[in-house]
Amino acid sequence: MKNIKVHAIVLALIIIAEMIGNVSFKIGVGTIVLLPMLYALIMGIFMAPKFLKVVNQKDMLDASSLIGITLMLLMARYGTLVGPTLPKILAASPALILQEFGNLGTVFIGVPVAIYLGLKRETIGAAHSIAREPNVALIGERYGLDSAEGRGVMGVYIAGTVFGTIFFGVMASFAAAYLPFHPYALAMAAGVGSASMMTAAVGSLSVMYPQMADQIAAFGAASNMLSGLDGLYMCIWMALPLTEWLYKKIYRLKYGVEPTGKDAAK
């Protein structure tokens, strides 16, 4: 009852967003799919003190403290998917599992770019992954969401929610039109651990290959499920340590000194 105002606002935003539903439209060879999560996020932003002032700073701090609990429930849900879907994962071929190594590309590309743009410890949260819900939970547990790493992961999470679905929808269409990849491979690549991004990409591919629509959806869903499950362990054991190591190397190259103080590795 302490945060009844926050809960009521969230419930209202969910109802409005779900009533709007999925909206899709074509741009050139691509199909853009807008999902309810995007509407809820945009409406939530305008609730902030700088805009409509529906919520105050205390409400925002209270809401941020509830993110960890919400994500804990989501991770529990991911855990329940492992057992029942294990036969499907094994039947999906090793390609679906090996593709998880492609997630490390965000580290090698994102860390140098982030440091070049002037980010410090925010780089760790922003560049270790594409920053979806499991990654937000990981950074929140490891560093805290009120830390520099937390600001980095939340910044990419919000940007991904707003622009990610649009980018994935267009990118999938252009990749299918101009690159020599099989539609199944593109469907697998769409599963990066984000339901909205995967749906946008699969929607575009299904429009371009209607005779393969069911198979494309199946490969996209299986790939997305794997990214949500074993992608988290990939981040824990490989991506996050690699990001920390690369951060120190690139920081030294740019500034000529080791990161110290609040910029040093924790």
Side-chain angles (χ1 to χ4, degrees):
M1 297 301 295
K2 177 183 177 182
N3 302 117
I4 186 65
K5 176 183 176 182
V6 173
H7 295 310
I9 292 174
V10 170
L11 179 60
L13 293 180
I14 291 174
I15 293 174
I16 295 172
E18 290 295 337
M19 289 178 65
I20 298 173
N22 297 348
V23 177
S24 61
F25 52 91
K26 290 183 66 66
I27 294 183
V29 298
T31 299
I32 306 301
V33 181
L34 304 180
L35 301 179
M37 183 172 64
L38 175 62
Y39 319 140
L41 178 63
I42 294 176
M43 289 187 291
I45 291 174
F46 281 98
M47 297 281 180
K50 291 185 178 180
F51 297 98
L52 299 180
K53 300 181 180 180
V54 177
V55 297
N56 54 37
Q57 190 67 27
K58 180 180 181 300
D59 294 328
M60 294 174 64
L61 292 174
D62 289 342
S64 66
S65 68
L66 297 172
I67 293 177
I69 298 175
T70 306
L71 292 175
M72 181 173 62
L73 297 175
L74 177 65
M75 296 309 298
R77 170 58 179 163
Y78 276 141
T80 62
L81 295 174
V82 177
T85 57
L86 188 58
K88 294 182 180 179
I89 294 175
L90 296 177
S93 83
L96 283 173
I97 298 176
L98 292 175
Q99 72 159 355
E100 292 304 316
F101 287 95
N103 292 338
L104 299 179
T106 61
V107 178
F108 293 108
I109 296 174
V111 171
V113 171
I115 295 178
Y116 175 78
L117 293 175
L119 273 67
K120 298 296 181 64
R121 290 293 300 178
E122 293 86 356
T123 300
I124 307 298
H128 83 285
S129 68
I130 65 165
R132 302 324 297 162
E133 288 83 356
N135 309 110
V136 173
L138 173 61
I139 294 298
E141 187 275 334
R142 185 70 59 89
Y143 305 100
L145 290 179
D146 58 344
S147 64
E149 296 84 353
R151 292 192 296 272
V153 73
M154 287 305 299
V156 176
Y157 176 79
I158 293 173
T161 301
V162 176
F163 302 109
T165 53
I166 298 174
F167 179 79
F168 264 62
V170 173
M171 183 175 64
S173 298
F174 276 87
Y178 301 113
L179 296 179
F181 295 121
H182 194 280
Y184 293 169
L186 295 176
M188 289 166 56
V192 294
S194 168
S196 59
M197 295 180 187
M198 184 272 293
T199 302
V202 166
S204 297
L205 293 172
S206 297
V207 170
M208 299 186 71
Y209 302 99
Q211 72 281 10
M212 301 181 183
D214 291 341
Q215 294 88 341
I216 288 173
F219 273 95
S223 175
N224 201 63
M225 179 182 63
L226 279 172
S227 294
L229 297 174
D230 63 0
L232 178 62
Y233 298 103
M234 179 73 73
C235 286
I236 294 173
W237 295 327
M238 296 187 66
L240 200 53
L242 180 61
T243 304
E244 289 275 10
W245 176 83
L246 190 59
Y247 167 76
K248 292 189 290 185
K249 297 293 183 182
I250 303 299
Y251 188 100
R252 189 186 307 121
L253 286 175
K254 180 178 181 179
Y255 297 103
V257 295
E258 292 283 348
T260 58
K262 64 180 182 180
D263 299 327
K266 297 181 180 180

